[in-house]
Amino acid sequence: MAEQPQPISPLKNFFAGGFGGVCLVFVGHPLDTIKVRLQTQPKPQPGQRPLYSGTFDCFRKTLIGEGVRGLYKGMAAPIIGVTPMFAVCFFGFGLGKRLQQKKPDDVLTYPQLFAAGMLSGVFTTVIMAPGERIKCLLQIQAATGETKYSGSLDCAKQLYREAGIRGVYKGTVLTLMRDVPASGMYFMTYEWLKNILTPEGKSVSELSVPRILFAGGLAGIFNWAVAIPPDVLKSRFQTAPPGKYANGFRDVLRELIREEGIASLYKGFTAVMIRAFPANAACFLGFEVAMKFLNWVAPSL
């Protein structure tokens, strides 16, 4: 069983979750860029070498060709989205827990925490889907040599002009397929690890910084272990030319398995796992630190 946190303050969750999300993006975006480029690189012709032979080759070529700034391509979209997204994410998790409580002091089981985490994934998709679409398009355009979009806002404008709101939200179903189960695993794992890492006789709220970092980082690993296959499909679908996949993710899945095998669903695995631990460790530490600060400066908020 897991110890319950204090009652939710939506305003505190907004600021603390937003700060945690900014920490996550700043630490993790370079490897997210590598992940997307590996997932979306074209299949090489017979006798040709692939554009990137792996994670470190992609990192080296990006750094040589575009400098450090190349690793942060497309970061404006997730940075703009992280504050409301993580506010909604952490609020959604808390709401999911509250809905399952018969009494305010009820302690939830881990399956119930998983269900609460899944609810947070539903909440965040509304914000996540367009940000992911814009981010992926900006991340791959440098690799193709074509500069169609000058930035995040220009990309959003062009997508809306070409296909309306549906163009901006292309890939929403796949974002849901990725984030709902992955968010359940994410929060359940974090709560579980916090509990087992808390020394006997101590409160979870007194957990040390190294233990918070470890719990948050490992939660990120478990999250992405669930999320990678739908994330590969999402990246392919969101960056494909209009009309290429008429039947949605089913066409993407069939093409990938037919041409590249089942292993293609785990493209970018190394980059994702290298990124997952530090990025999510930073996220949860940022959230916990911000929440403690807010509880100190505004305990009644």
Side-chain angles (χ1 to χ4, degrees):
M1 299 283 184
E3 181 181 319
Q4 295 302 296
Q6 295 180 352
I8 303 164
S9 166
L11 192 56
K12 287 180 182 177
N13 277 336
F14 180 87
F15 289 110
F19 182 71
V22 170
C23 293
L24 180 146
V25 173
F26 187 77
V27 171
H29 192 80
L31 279 162
D32 186 70
T33 298
I34 302 302
K35 177 205 71 173
V36 170
R37 290 187 177 185
L38 287 170
Q39 289 175 345
T40 58
Q41 67 175 319
K43 184 182 178 182
Q45 297 298 318
Q48 288 186 338
R49 295 168 63 88
L51 183 60
Y52 308 116
S53 62
T55 299
F56 297 104
D57 181 54
C58 184
F59 181 86
R60 182 181 61 83
K61 288 179 177 176
T62 301
L63 204 58
I64 292 172
E66 304 167 54
V68 174
R69 291 181 64 183
L71 296 170
Y72 283 91
K73 287 279 177 70
M75 193 175 75
I79 281 287
I80 290 168
V82 288
T83 298
M85 184 190 73
F86 274 81
V88 170
C89 180
F90 279 92
F91 176 77
F93 177 56
L95 179 62
K97 289 189 290 184
R98 181 174 289 180
L99 289 173
Q100 296 180 87
Q101 288 180 307
K102 294 180 181 178
K103 296 181 295 183
D105 59 347
D106 281 350
V107 176
L108 300 183
T109 63
Y110 290 114
Q112 287 175 313
L113 290 170
F114 184 86
M118 290 176 69
L119 182 63
S120 76
V122 175
F123 277 39
T124 56
T125 295
V126 175
I127 301 169
M128 178 72 84
E132 286 278 299
R133 168 97 154 117
I134 293 165
K135 171 182 71 68
C136 288
L137 288 170
L138 290 172
Q139 284 172 330
I140 68 164
Q141 78 167 359
T144 63
E146 177 189 355
T147 306
K148 183 178 180 181
Y149 310 111
S150 61
S152 299
L153 185 59
D154 180 55
C155 182
K157 286 180 179 178
Q158 289 195 46
L159 290 173
Y160 185 79
R161 189 163 56 244
E162 291 167 4
I165 197 68
R166 292 183 63 182
V168 177
Y169 274 88
K170 181 179 179 180
T172 298
V173 172
L174 279 163
T175 306
L176 274 170
M177 289 173 61
R178 181 193 68 177
D179 289 349
V180 170
S183 294
M185 182 64 73
Y186 187 53
F187 282 107
M188 183 189 72
T189 302
Y190 181 64
E191 295 289 336
W192 169 62
L193 287 169
K194 281 205 303 180
N195 285 327
I196 66 173
L197 290 171
T198 300
E200 190 174 350
K202 296 283 188 178
S203 168
V204 172
S205 62
E206 299 175 299
L207 208 60
S208 66
V209 168
R211 294 186 182 200
I212 291 172
L213 288 170
F214 180 77
L218 209 55
I221 295 289
F222 276 79
N223 171 83
W224 278 103
V226 173
I228 288 177
D231 186 63
V232 172
L233 298 177
K234 180 197 69 66
S235 294
R236 282 291 183 101
F237 184 68
Q238 288 186 319
T239 57
K244 181 176 181 181
Y245 300 116
N247 296 312
F249 73 90
R250 289 171 295 176
D251 283 355
V252 187
L253 180 61
R254 278 195 292 263
E255 180 186 86
L256 274 173
I257 293 178
R258 182 179 66 249
E259 296 185 359
E260 303 178 47
I262 194 73
S264 63
L265 292 174
Y266 287 88
K267 277 192 171 183
F269 180 85
T270 303
V272 167
M273 289 306 173
I274 292 173
R275 169 187 179 269
F277 192 96
N280 289 283
C283 174
F284 275 111
L285 180 62
F287 175 81
E288 298 286 2
V289 168
M291 187 60 76
K292 284 184 178 181
F293 177 75
L294 289 169
N295 285 334
W296 177 61
V297 297
S300 61
L301 190 63

